[in-house]
Amino acid sequence: MLNALSTLKPPSGSLSCLVVDNGSTDDTAEVARDLGAQVIHENRRGYGSACLAGLAHLRDSPPDIVVFLDADYSDHPEELSLLLAPIVENRADLVMGDRTQLAMPGALMPQQRFGNALATRLIAWQTGHRYRDMGPFRAIRWNAIESLHMSDPTWGWNVEMQMRAVQQHLRVLEIPVKYRPRTGQSKISGTLKGSIRAGGKILWAVWRYR
């Protein structure tokens, strides 16, 4: 698994890219490094573990804004400005990409759409805020994500962030973004067993962070 974190430091607007590798078996990390990204390695498996490792790496010299996205070609980094603008303009603290409207055919599997719909309904039931998606492409102020005290090492990471954002009264926006089929087969959405495991962890996270 590889997650990418982009960081922004206004007013200069300087951007940097951090790639977290926590168990990939191809040469993506080397390619990312050759293209100028900073690559770190996290031995603990899990989506949240990769995100937590990236944040820990940034903590000594934190950016103003952090952007999370998957490094499997499914997200569109060129849409970064769509997520950053509401934060830079002080209209939001957390901006998330909503894939449900603009996803390419086949990019969101039926089990993903079902899981998203169920999880967002449960979050609304617990918090009163109805999200449209649980997508990975999201931007958040550094001081905002630090205030959330994120800890989930698994697929409950997005649930934890979205529920705690409401509980902490952050200003949250969802912006429609494009989404394409990922490169390679996902061990989560690409298999029935993986989908069931991820779905179970997401449902458990909704209960845990309520």
Side-chain angles (χ1 to χ4, degrees):
M1 176 190 297
L2 290 108
N3 283 3
L5 289 79
S6 294
T7 65
L8 176 68
K9 269 186 170 294
S12 66
S14 60
L15 286 166
S16 62
C17 180
L18 174 65
V19 174
V20 183
D21 177 2
N22 70 333
S24 66
T25 57
D26 58 19
D27 60 352
T28 307
E30 287 70 24
V31 171
R33 189 179 292 109
D34 290 343
L35 292 174
Q38 184 176 10
V39 179
I40 65 172
H41 298 272
E42 170 55 60
N43 292 328
R44 296 172 299 172
R45 302 303 296 268
Y47 182 84
S49 292
C51 295
L52 289 167
L55 293 177
H57 181 81
L58 296 172
R59 197 158 281 128
D60 287 341
S61 182
D64 292 282
I65 302 171
V66 179
V67 181
F68 298 88
L69 67 157
D70 287 349
D72 60 6
Y73 193 66
S74 55
D75 295 314
H76 287 248
E78 63 271 20
E79 295 187 320
L80 187 67
S81 60
L82 297 178
L83 275 66
L84 291 176
I87 299 178
V88 174
E89 295 165 5
N90 198 29
R91 294 186 286 114
D93 303 303
L94 168 63
V95 181
M96 299 186 305
D98 170 21
R99 306 165 295 176
T100 60
Q101 301 178 50
L102 302 179
M104 294 175 60
L108 282 175
M109 304 297 289
Q111 59 267 32
Q112 288 177 283
R113 290 188 180 275
F114 174 79
N116 279 343
L118 178 59
T120 53
R121 282 183 172 85
L122 290 174
I123 291 175
W125 176 56
Q126 293 287 351
T127 67
H129 182 93
R130 180 62 187 271
Y131 290 98
R132 294 190 297 269
D133 196 10
M134 304 287 295
F137 197 13
R138 50 186 64 195
I140 185 170
R141 295 183 190 276
W142 177 263
N143 58 0
I145 195 166
E146 287 288 83
S147 74
L148 300 182
H149 303 291
M150 297 291 295
S151 62
D152 196 292
T154 68
W155 291 99
W157 168 271
N158 286 348
V159 173
E160 180 185 17
M161 184 186 295
Q162 289 175 230
M163 293 189 71
R164 288 188 169 173
V166 177
Q167 294 161 358
Q168 293 288 337
H169 306 291
L170 298 186
R171 296 171 297 171
V172 179
L173 287 179
E174 287 183 274
I175 304 293
V177 294
K178 299 174 185 177
Y179 194 70
R180 57 196 160 203
R182 60 165 287 156
T183 299
Q185 182 184 36
S186 170
K187 59 181 177 292
I188 301 299
S189 60
T191 65
L192 178 61
K193 180 180 178 181
S195 297
I196 293 173
R197 287 181 59 200
K201 288 179 180 178
I202 289 172
L203 295 178
W204 173 81
V206 172
W207 178 85
R208 179 182 179 185
Y209 300 116
R210 70 193 190 283

